[in-house]
Amino acid sequence: MRKILFASSEVHPLIKTGGLADVSASLPIALSESGQDIRIIIPAYRRCLESLTEIRTVATIKLDGYHKPVEILQSTLPDTNVPLYLLHSPEHFDREGGPYSQAKDGDWEDNPARFALFSRAIAKLAINEAGLDWQPDILHCNDWQTGLAPALIADLENRPATVFTIHNLAYQGLYSRDVFDALDLPESFWHSESIEFYDLMSFMKGGLIYADHITTVSPTYAREICSYEFGYGLEGLLTLRAQQGRLTGILNGIDKHEWNPEQDHYLVKKFSAKTVRYKSDNKAALQNEYGLPQKDDVLLIGLISRLVSQKGIDISIAAISRLLHSNATIQLICLGSGESHYEQDLRILRAHYPDKVGVHIGYDEGLSHRIEAGADVFLMPSRFEPCGLNQLYSLRYGTLPIVRNTGGLADTVVDATEQNRKDELATGFKFEASTPQALEHTLGTVIDLFQRPRIWRKMMMTAMAQDYSWNKSAEMYLALYHKLT
Ligand code: ADP
Ligand code: GLC
């Protein structure tokens, strides 16, 4: 049994902007089920304080860089026995809005102070100096918001082994020298072999330089970030870590209870591989929910996404527009929020094709399940994708993913080539170039195959039979923890 402190800035179902929240719940749950003493720490955002019923203060501590004492609260992750700590500093976290930004006005200006404080609290817990009488063997940090924690404890003798997981290298927490000064960090950190990065401070580098081991969320992304194209200037450091055997890619899994079409209470009709015909009830209900004509023979394309460049939203819009223009028998339904120009472009597409396109701008957990269940295919033409969870949910729901061949998408979807179909391995559709033309071409193949129900059904069965639950991946994390301690 290992004692693990798992630090993250989001956790489902309490606070979520993307897949990090899903992983920060489902991986600790899987590790806890395998007998580990794993405890999660997140900031005590207002939304978390409002939705947790049982919550108590277990420590009051003083952290460097902030003049007031802060509290460590304790609760459990909803519907589990996994202990949850929350850093309660009202000035930093108890406010309306998202974890990183106000509704529409960009990032909170004091994010560096907020996440430096969070990292300092994580560091205190990691070395058992928060008065909790619990010394973890492993500190597992996730993404830049927790990046300073491994740096802060690196030189201490009584520290746990540290793992830092990159969920997305595109977000690094880069700030100016002034910000660095205001955070009152050790001056020795201002060095290219520490967290200084081309005259900026980088929270992410705290994790990359100081953690004993770096992981990222798929084997292909682990290779990609060692290249100029995906490395954002960190490819040299990451290549070195890979050569040292200190960088590995471990695929994310999915919560097999949460994302299970047989038990999904959000659906109008639950289904399994045996009763996959009920998928059409979900399709009709979804078309109805979006105000589109209920037609079973039209290819219904689903898209759920943060609306940002990473996700290739512009590629989707351009390719789908061209197909709609040429009268292809498709419908598109979208759920997402993000950059306003993408929201606007989706609304315009809907206005042009009101009986072919449905758009819901916003965040809606239940609807995301109904799209996974009701759509025929799921669109994910990401420019890069560290792992991606929606294609995994799609496989489970028999909704064939259409993906660009990158990162975790490359590792989890098997393309419908003739050979793969013959070998009964195909689970979706892959294309290479980040262009509307490449996607349009692939969609042409998809539309053709959709007319061939036997082949389609076989692919659905193969997709639904894939096992992307946490079993295998949680074991890989556990093996890593063992190796490090
Ligand atoms: P990323 O973390 O880069 O956004 P992932 O595919 O790993 O991508 O995870 C996205 C997660 O967020 C999935 O659980 C997806 O269902 C969810 N999601 C994204 N946008 C929305 C939305 N508008 N409404 C509901 N869920 C959403
Ligand atoms: C990030 C990535 C996504 C990944 C998720 C969880 O948000 O963009 O690909 O699935 O983290 O690891």
Side-chain angles (χ1 to χ4, degrees), residues 294-439:
Q294 294 184 15
K295 292 184 182 160
D296 201 39
D297 56 341
V298 171
L299 180 80
L300 182 59
I301 304 171
L303 188 159
I304 304 166
S305 185
R306 289 185 295 118
L307 302 177
V308 294
S309 156
Q310 172 190 346
K311 303 293 180 179
I313 303 300
D314 48 330
I315 297 173
S316 291
I317 293 174
I320 298 281
S321 307
R322 284 150 74 141
L323 284 168
L324 288 172
H325 189 71
S326 60
N327 261 325
T329 48
I330 57 171
Q331 290 174 339
L332 171 73
I333 45 160
C334 312
L335 166 62
S337 66
E339 293 174 20
S340 50
H341 61 109
Y342 291 129
E343 298 183 356
Q344 187 60 7
D345 289 348
L346 285 172
R347 287 195 181 104
I348 292 171
L349 189 66
R350 154 113 187 131
H352 275 147
Y353 301 100
D355 59 348
K356 300 261 172 83
V357 177
V359 174
H360 182 100
I361 300 297
Y363 186 90
D364 188 328
E365 190 72 30
L367 183 54
S368 75
H369 284 245
R370 290 193 291 281
I371 294 174
E372 288 292 4
D376 296 304
V377 287
F378 191 90
L379 196 51
M380 217 163 159
S382 307
R383 293 195 158 81
F384 65 95
E385 195 62 74
C387 178
L389 294 173
N390 277 117
Q391 84 281 13
L392 302 180
Y393 302 147
S394 300
L395 292 171
R396 191 102 201 269
Y397 283 67
T399 302
L400 305 183
I402 304 171
V403 303
R404 210 173 81 68
N405 192 20
T406 186
L409 302 174
D411 293 339
T412 55
V413 176
V414 180
D415 190 24
T417 59
E418 219 177 311
Q419 190 60 48
N420 285 339
R421 283 193 270 121
K422 237 195 232 150
D423 296 342
E424 306 196 346
L425 295 173
T427 58
F429 304 90
K430 274 178 171 168
F431 64 99
E432 292 292 334
S434 268
T435 61
Q437 291 78 2
L439 175 56

Side-chain angles (χ1 to χ4, degrees), residues 129-190:
E129 279 188 9
L132 299 177
D133 193 21
W134 186 71
Q135 172 63 64
D137 308 308
I138 295 283
L139 168 62
H140 188 155
C141 289
N142 295 275
D143 272 356
W144 75 263
Q145 294 85 352
T146 61
L148 293 183
L152 290 165
I153 60 172
D155 288 338
L156 304 181
E157 273 185 7
N158 60 339
R159 71 170 178 86
T162 49
V163 175
F164 182 78
T165 298
I166 304 168
H167 294 265
N168 196 334
L169 197 63
Y171 304 96
Q172 295 173 19
L174 293 176
Y175 298 100
S176 68
R177 169 78 210 202
D178 292 350
V179 171
F180 176 81
D181 290 336
L183 294 178
D184 206 12
L185 291 162
E187 185 55 34
S188 61
F189 280 9
W190 193 262

